[in-house]
Amino acid sequence: MERMRKIIGMLLVVVLVGAGLVTSLTTLGSASAQDGLSFEAGTYSGVADGFGGSVEAIVTVTETRIENIQVIADGETGEIGTAAISEITEAIIQTQSLAVDVVSGASVSSNAVLAAIEDALKQAGADLDYLKDEANKLSVEAVEQADIDTEVVVIGAGGAGMAAAIEAALAGKDVVILEQMAVIGGNTNRATGGMNASQTYIQAELGVEDSNEQFYEDTFTGGYELNDPVLLRTMVEQSADALQWVNDLGAELTDVSFSGGQTNARIHKPKDGSAVGPVLIGVLKEKLDELDVPIYLESEAQSLITNDEGHVVGVNVVTADGASFVVNADAVILATGGFGANMEMVEQYDESKVGFETTNHPGATGSGIQMAVEIGAALYQMEEIQIHPTTQPGTGYLYTEGLRGDGAILVNKEGLRFTDELLTRDVVSANIIAQTDSVAYLLVNQELVDQNASMAGYIEKGHAVHGESLEELATALELDAATLQATLDTYNEAQAAGVDEEFGRLNMTMSLAKGPYYALSVTPSIHHTMGGLKINKDTQVLNEDGEIIPGLFAAGEVVGGVHGGNRIGGNAVLDIIVFGRIAGQMAATDLEAVLEEGTEEGTEDATEDVTPEEEEEEVNSEDASEEETEPEDSVENEETGSLDDSADTEGEPTESETEEETEEETDEETDEEADSAA
């Protein structure tokens, strides 16, 4: 557990950046640009408030130079905090300036580090206005990145991409990861709840009865039966193995509880209730380091490279400094995430979502989707965009669904409950939107806080309103105290009786009879884009004709079809692990062997959707038409993978249903692809 806390909280992060790292410095502006640098030599300590607590900067200066910076941060989120500290301290040392950019995706931590360093330099007698002037900073000549030759290149260093890279590396392949942001982790950094899995060893140890079939039914029903059955089955049936895999890496997801839309307790999370995302990113990064897999940060993939046969053979890349380079590879894995932070794309596919905040990190722009469409990839269910019910008004900051699973309730501005808190996300979101100002309060007591580290963190960060008594809380929230008391009394009676006659909530974990109490103001925000690239069960990307695009794989939120019309909480984390692993395994397989196997399996599965005579006629026709150009590409391997939610199937007749759906929606998807490419 102590090791997990270190991963999550960065209990002690120390970054030393010395003069030895300053190379190829030239003066920006006049030759005397450094004349304004003047300090009282010594070591000074500055402090500022960060994302999860105070940040201390210990700065050593000579009379004319910032020499060393040491940053100590308690509570800055894992890799996000690490990136902010390393990027900013190195930039200040190299440029001898405070006119440095914040790290995208880590703005709060970045500003805290800058403020603490500024505080220390002020004590050293620095001219802060001079240090903040762009004209006085030193510039570092950009180091050109040479082209890279590798076997597998993964685009995106989120959970799916990291899982894919690990599997490919374990298979003995040379692997490179490209990440457009300065921070690894993507949206996985923001995953708060846990990882769904059924028939797991943890459930068995805790006496929780569950089944793959019930998990499938819950997810299929929750997705309005729009899920790709093959992908869904794959995800479900590989869920127990995926949990074992991440725990073997050190994730320690050993607690199990309920989440919205689930019949049984199957969301696995850290024992202390900490956010699951930083834990996973921490253990995945440790494994990548062990395997010596390089991650090229601030390296944005611009376009995919194909050869004359239509095989994807590499990526064109641009760095933050504007330098271009090429990565040549035998296989490319897209793990670039969805488009929840790209409001233009959101509006393009669902105008009703305009005006919402987003929970997504800045890099969730749909870039991977657009790159794949440019070479003919098919899109699937792009209009399916989810909003999350419990986010901070005005910012989109996400509050974990685990709070409701652990026993929290929702009340409106009138002090009344208005919903079963454990309904699916879309339903709870709609019910909140129907309330006054589209806002509700997530109400918990101290007992729940003591069991949930995430809630304790929200309180520490100042997000929660506190009341020693319920009346005091009501006063702080400007609610009618009598009404709120009556609401809570009714709920506590229902909890004791095990029957919620008002709203039918089945899981009422704990009584809220005893204070102190806390409340979080919540409103829905855009959270997950269920649509994306069309893939098969091997995570191979398909074109508009349902044929594989050789050499191109995809996993995570960049993929469509896994979640259908609504994603169940806890399935995204499972999705990225299951399909990330599949993508890495398949990309590591000899390409010719994959294509040959795909031909056999694709033909076999396709016969399930039509009569044997029709299937044989269709396959023969396809083979004949494509024989001269790409004979092996005409039949697909029937496995799929996705970064946010996918499924796992072996020999499922439902794969044929998926192919049938593909045929029915070809015209619609073609239009969507054209729009996206534009």
Side-chain angles (χ1 to χ4, degrees):
M1 184 59 69
E2 179 62 25
R3 179 166 171 268
M4 181 173 69
R5 289 196 186 98
K6 289 180 181 178
I7 293 172
I8 300 172
M10 275 180 54
L11 295 183
L12 179 63
V13 176
V14 178
V15 178
L16 294 175
V17 183
L21 291 176
V22 182
T23 58
S24 303
L25 292 182
T26 58
T27 302
L28 181 63
S30 68
S32 60
Q34 280 191 289
D35 289 350
L37 283 181
S38 175
F39 310 100
E40 295 179 16
T43 299
Y44 302 86
S45 174
V47 179
D49 291 330
F51 183 78
S54 63
V55 173
E56 180 183 9
I58 302 171
V59 182
T60 299
V61 296
T62 67
E63 292 182 353
T64 59
R65 179 178 182 77
I66 303 171
E67 195 71 22
N68 288 299
I69 301 173
Q70 175 181 331
V71 175
I72 302 173
D74 293 335
E76 297 308 287
T77 306
E79 295 295 335
I80 295 179
T82 301
I85 292 169
S86 61
E87 287 276 324
I88 288 174
T89 52
E90 183 173 350
I92 290 173
I93 290 290
Q94 289 181 328
T95 64
Q96 292 293 293
S97 172
L98 291 176
V100 298
D101 295 329
V102 299
V103 178
S104 181
S107 58
V108 177
S109 295
S110 297
N111 286 322
V113 172
L114 277 169
I117 294 171
E118 182 178 326
D119 182 26
L121 290 173
K122 181 179 180 180
Q123 297 173 47
D127 182 343
L128 297 181
D129 290 335
Y130 178 90
L131 286 171
K132 292 178 180 180
D133 190 338
E134 289 273 355
N136 299 325
K137 67 189 296 186
L138 299 176
S139 65
V140 181
E141 292 181 2
V143 178
E144 289 192 11
Q145 171 63 55
D147 292 346
I148 299 171
D149 293 325
T150 189
E151 292 176 301
V152 178
V153 58
V154 179
I155 307 176
M162 296 172 82
I166 289 170
E167 287 290 358
L170 288 173
K173 297 299 181 181
D174 185 50
V175 184
V176 166
I177 302 176
L178 302 174
E179 171 54 53
Q180 66 174 333
M181 308 296 289
V183 180
I184 67 170
N187 271 345
T188 308
N189 278 327
R190 302 186 176 203
T192 58
M195 173 177 168
N196 285 333
S198 51
Q199 297 182 195
T200 70
Y201 76 99
I202 297 294
Q203 287 175 315
E205 290 175 359
L206 297 176
V208 176
E209 294 185 5
D210 197 12
S211 68
N212 289 344
E213 193 56 41
Q214 188 61 61
F215 185 12
Y216 180 97
E217 289 302 321
D218 286 347
T219 305
F220 196 56
T221 300
Y224 300 109
E225 301 185 357
L226 296 175
N227 316 65
D228 181 314
V230 170
L231 298 182
L232 177 55
R233 183 68 67 182
T234 299
M235 183 179 74
V236 167
E237 292 188 352
Q238 294 194 22
S239 65
D241 184 59
L243 177 74
Q244 181 76 62
W245 189 76
V246 297
N247 279 351
D248 286 347
L249 292 179
E252 297 183 7
L253 306 185
T254 57
D255 189 28
V256 180
S257 66
F258 286 85
S259 64
Q262 301 284 19
T263 299
N264 301 315
R266 67 172 65 100
I267 188 165
H268 295 67
K269 54 188 182 179
K271 187 67 176 178
D272 65 355
S274 296
V276 68
V279 173
L280 287 179
I281 294 302
V283 298
L284 292 171
K285 180 61 164 58
E286 283 187 6
K287 189 64 177 179
L288 288 170
D289 289 344
E290 177 188 319
L291 295 168
D292 293 324
V293 175
I295 301 176
Y296 290 80
L297 297 175
E298 297 185 296
S299 298
E300 183 177 357
Q302 297 282 296
S303 60
L304 300 173
I305 302 170
T306 58
N307 63 16
D308 293 340
E309 287 74 40
H311 292 223
V312 177
V313 293
V315 190
N316 290 308
V317 189
V318 174
T319 70
D321 296 325
S324 300
F325 67 99
V326 173
V327 179
N328 301 301
D330 297 325
V332 175
I333 300 174
L334 287 173
T336 50
F339 56 94
N342 185 337
M343 291 303 116
E344 290 184 4
M345 283 187 73
V346 169
E347 183 177 1
Q348 177 183 350
Y349 294 107
D350 187 352
E351 292 183 355
S352 71
K353 300 299 190 297
V354 174
F356 282 90
E357 300 289 344
T358 182
T359 67
N360 289 252
H361 82 113
T365 61
S367 60
I369 294 173
Q370 295 166 338
M371 281 189 289
V373 166
E374 289 173 0
I375 64 167
L379 297 178
Y380 192 55
Q381 298 181 340
M382 290 292 286
E383 71 283 358
E384 302 297 346
I385 300 172
Q386 182 185 66
I387 53 179
H388 192 289
T390 55
T391 72
Q392 186 180 58
T395 69
Y397 181 86
L398 180 66
Y399 296 130
T400 178
E401 196 162 35
L403 290 174
R404 286 176 284 139
D406 288 348
I409 64 171
L410 288 166
V411 299
N412 59 22
K413 287 192 171 183
E414 288 69 46
L416 301 170
R417 276 183 79 214
F418 54 89
T419 187
D420 171 359
E421 292 83 358
L422 294 182
L423 295 174
T424 55
R425 287 174 172 175
D426 58 330
V427 176
V428 176
S429 294
N431 290 341
I432 292 175
I433 291 171
Q435 306 308 306
T436 302
D437 298 329
S438 298
V439 166
Y441 298 107
L442 195 61
L443 193 152
V444 305
N445 66 356
Q446 188 64 50
E447 183 180 359
L448 192 152
V449 173
D450 292 341
Q451 299 178 23
N452 192 294
S454 291
M455 185 63 206
Y458 304 149
I459 295 169
E460 184 178 347
K461 294 167 188 173
H463 294 186
V465 176
H466 167 253
E468 282 298 314
S469 66
L470 194 64
E471 181 179 4
E472 187 177 316
L473 181 70
T475 300
L477 295 174
E478 299 183 353
L479 304 181
D480 182 77
T483 301
L484 185 60
Q485 185 65 63
T487 295
L488 205 61
D489 289 344
T490 300
Y491 177 79
N492 288 329
E493 290 171 5
Q495 191 272 337
V499 179
D500 179 13
E501 294 184 355
E502 279 190 300
F503 301 104
R505 177 169 173 166
L506 297 178
N507 173 41
M508 295 175 284
T509 309
M510 65 173 62
S511 169
L512 298 175
K514 296 180 180 180
Y517 294 97
Y518 302 87
L520 297 168
S521 180
V522 298
T523 193
S525 292
I526 291 171
H527 184 52
H528 193 95
T529 50
M530 280 85 72
L533 300 175
K534 182 71 174 175
I535 63 170
N536 62 22
K537 66 179 182 178
D538 289 326
T539 70
Q540 294 168 300
V541 178
L542 308 179
N543 65 20
E544 296 177 15
D545 296 322
E547 305 161 344
I548 65 171
I549 298 176
L552 185 61
F553 303 82
E557 197 171 349
V558 72
V559 168
V562 177
H563 306 291
N566 177 64
R567 181 172 67 75
I568 298 295
N571 277 354
V573 175
L574 175 62
D575 173 20
I576 62 176
I577 298 302
V578 167
F579 289 101
R581 294 183 67 200
I582 291 174
Q585 293 161 359
M586 295 307 299
T589 305
D590 180 78
L591 184 57
E592 293 302 316
V594 173
L595 293 175
E596 182 178 348
E597 180 183 353
T599 301
E600 296 172 357
E601 292 187 7
T603 303
E604 205 175 288
D605 288 341
T607 62
E608 299 168 6
D609 200 40
V610 295
T611 65
E613 293 78 14
E614 291 172 332
E615 167 57 17
E616 181 177 357
E617 185 175 332
E618 179 182 350
V619 172
N620 289 340
S621 174
E622 290 176 358
D623 288 344
S625 65
E626 298 172 9
E627 187 174 11
E628 294 182 2
T629 56
E630 39 190 19
E632 294 177 317
D633 300 349
S634 61
V635 187
E636 64 190 72
N637 195 324
E638 303 294 335
E639 278 187 5
T640 40
S642 145
L643 188 141
D644 282 343
D645 275 307
S646 317
D648 165 55
T649 64
E650 297 179 1
E652 279 293 316
T654 49
E655 170 63 16
S656 60
E657 297 171 11
T658 301
E659 293 184 7
E660 184 175 358
E661 291 170 8
T662 302
E663 293 174 0
E664 292 173 352
E665 299 180 11
T666 297
D667 293 339
E668 179 181 350
E669 293 172 7
T670 302
D671 291 340
E672 291 175 346
E673 292 168 22
D675 291 342
S676 179

